[in-house]
Amino acid sequence: MARRRALALAAATGLHLASLQLGYLLTIQMHLSSGYLSYALVTALWMLGCLIGLWVALPAALAVIAGLASYLVTLVACNLAPFHPSLLWLAIPAVIVSGLWAGRFFCVALARDDGEGASARAFAGENTGFVAGLVGVFLGYALLGRALLLWAPLVTGASVLALLCRRGPALALLGLVLGGCVDEGPSVVPAPDRSLFATQAYPILLRDCGFPGCHGAEERYYQVFGPGRTRLAAPGEPPPGPFDLATPYELARSYDRARAALLTDGDVDDAPLLRKPLEEAGHAGRDVLGRNVYATRDEAGYRALAGWARGLVILEEEAP
């Protein structure tokens, strides 16, 4: 009985840790930075938390609850103030605290299953649950959207607590209630005028944002394709030359990426496309000095983007 319970705890822990780690990565990618350094930082901080958990004798339930609470605080803060510079300083201790249970689990699992091969069973069970959690959360996020980033850690955390102290069902119910209250935001992606995009917004995005090392890089969730920047070949066609005119396929893909970045729960000014390039967002995307693309909303380039998002034509004398 103890061995079966230890195996169940290992699998539930793997699922929970996968939902937390992938939740951090997706949340930081959407609301802070999608650069590879973000992924490296999350992984390093998680491993640090794991090492601390191995050596610090925290109560098991406390480690799980503290890690879940830290993740929820980060999730809420990122949704309330996307791209704010202070988010990084919030995420650093949060990831470390969430990683504590990743290390503490093995101490608890070995104490509950003292039979031969206990360490191998604990590792195999946790690893299997972690892989299943990564696949499940990724597919769930693709099908259900951002609400899963709250639901999955709450439900898996409740299952771990249930196996630890038999009080998890109440927490699971609370997780379902909280998850059901989440506002998923608009279900339809904005679709500003395509022609206005081609003449007003696209040249600005290509000039200010589409550099190969910035939003021309394939690891970015937002990309701009066109002459002098990263090129995109249509299916079955050869890639255009470096300085050939933008193809209809590149325009269409750039438009779709841009309108997806206008999705927001509030005013369009709060959408990532219009918020991230501002100095106040801490994007640091313009030069080696760390200055952002636009210092204020009054700059001509920014007005062109915001005008397209609102369906407004910028007068010729206002154009950059």
Side-chain angles (χ1 to χ4, degrees):
M1 184 68 176
R3 181 171 296 180
R4 289 198 298 269
R5 193 172 183 83
L7 290 174
L9 177 62
T13 292
L15 288 170
H16 181 54
L17 296 178
S19 68
L20 285 179
Q21 193 171 121
L22 194 54
Y24 272 118
L25 291 174
L26 291 172
T27 299
I28 289 175
Q29 175 180 315
M30 286 188 294
H31 299 295
L32 188 57
S33 170
S34 58
Y36 73 93
L37 287 177
S38 301
Y39 300 94
L41 181 64
V42 169
T43 302
L45 294 173
W46 185 273
M47 294 303 298
L48 177 59
C50 180
L51 290 174
I52 294 174
L54 282 171
W55 295 103
V56 178
L58 288 173
L62 177 60
V64 176
I65 293 172
L68 181 57
S70 297
Y71 169 77
L72 294 177
V73 168
T74 304
L75 182 67
V76 171
C78 285
N79 279 276
L80 291 178
F83 308 113
H84 195 283
S86 62
L87 289 176
L88 177 62
W89 302 109
L90 173 65
I92 287 174
V95 175
I96 294 175
V97 172
S98 294
L100 291 175
W101 176 238
R104 186 68 188 138
F105 155 73
F106 289 100
C107 302
V108 174
L110 295 180
R112 292 185 170 222
D113 179 8
D114 56 2
E116 184 177 353
S119 59
R121 284 192 295 272
F123 181 81
E126 189 271 344
N127 190 60
T128 301
F130 189 82
V131 173
L134 288 179
V135 175
V137 173
F138 181 80
L139 292 177
Y141 176 73
L143 296 173
L144 302 177
R146 290 180 298 169
L148 191 81
L149 299 183
L150 174 63
W151 277 71
L154 281 171
V155 173
T156 56
S159 66
V160 172
L161 289 171
L163 291 165
L164 284 172
C165 54
R166 302 179 185 273
R167 295 176 182 174
L171 291 174
L173 178 60
L174 177 61
L176 293 176
V177 171
L178 291 176
C181 293
V182 174
D183 181 6
E184 296 188 40
S187 58
V188 178
V189 178
D193 187 82
R194 284 178 177 267
S195 298
L196 190 59
F197 173 79
T199 58
Q200 182 169 300
Y202 176 67
I204 301 301
L205 292 170
L206 199 64
R207 184 194 69 187
D208 295 340
C209 306
F211 303 103
C214 297
H215 293 291
E218 62 181 12
E219 68 267 18
R220 302 286 187 178
Y221 79 95
Y222 174 65
Q223 294 173 291
V224 186
F225 306 96
R229 302 291 189 255
T230 301
R231 305 312 302 259
L232 183 66
E237 297 183 8
F243 299 104
D244 290 347
L245 293 176
T247 66
Y249 188 70
E250 288 177 318
L251 274 171
R253 181 65 67 87
S254 298
Y255 169 80
D256 286 338
R257 294 293 176 91
R259 74 188 188 96
L262 290 175
L263 190 64
T264 179
D265 295 336
D267 188 83
V268 69
D269 286 343
D270 294 326
L273 185 71
L274 298 183
R275 178 177 173 80
K276 190 171 182 180
L278 290 171
E279 196 72 36
E280 63 194 44
H283 176 41
R286 188 167 70 186
D287 56 27
V288 295
L289 298 178
R291 294 174 295 186
N292 216 336
V293 183
Y294 305 118
T296 71
R297 298 176 186 266
D298 294 327
E299 292 195 24
Y302 184 87
R303 292 201 308 271
L305 292 179
W308 165 69
R310 295 182 178 278
L312 301 176
V313 178
I314 300 299
L315 299 178
E316 184 175 354
E317 59 268 20
E318 296 179 346

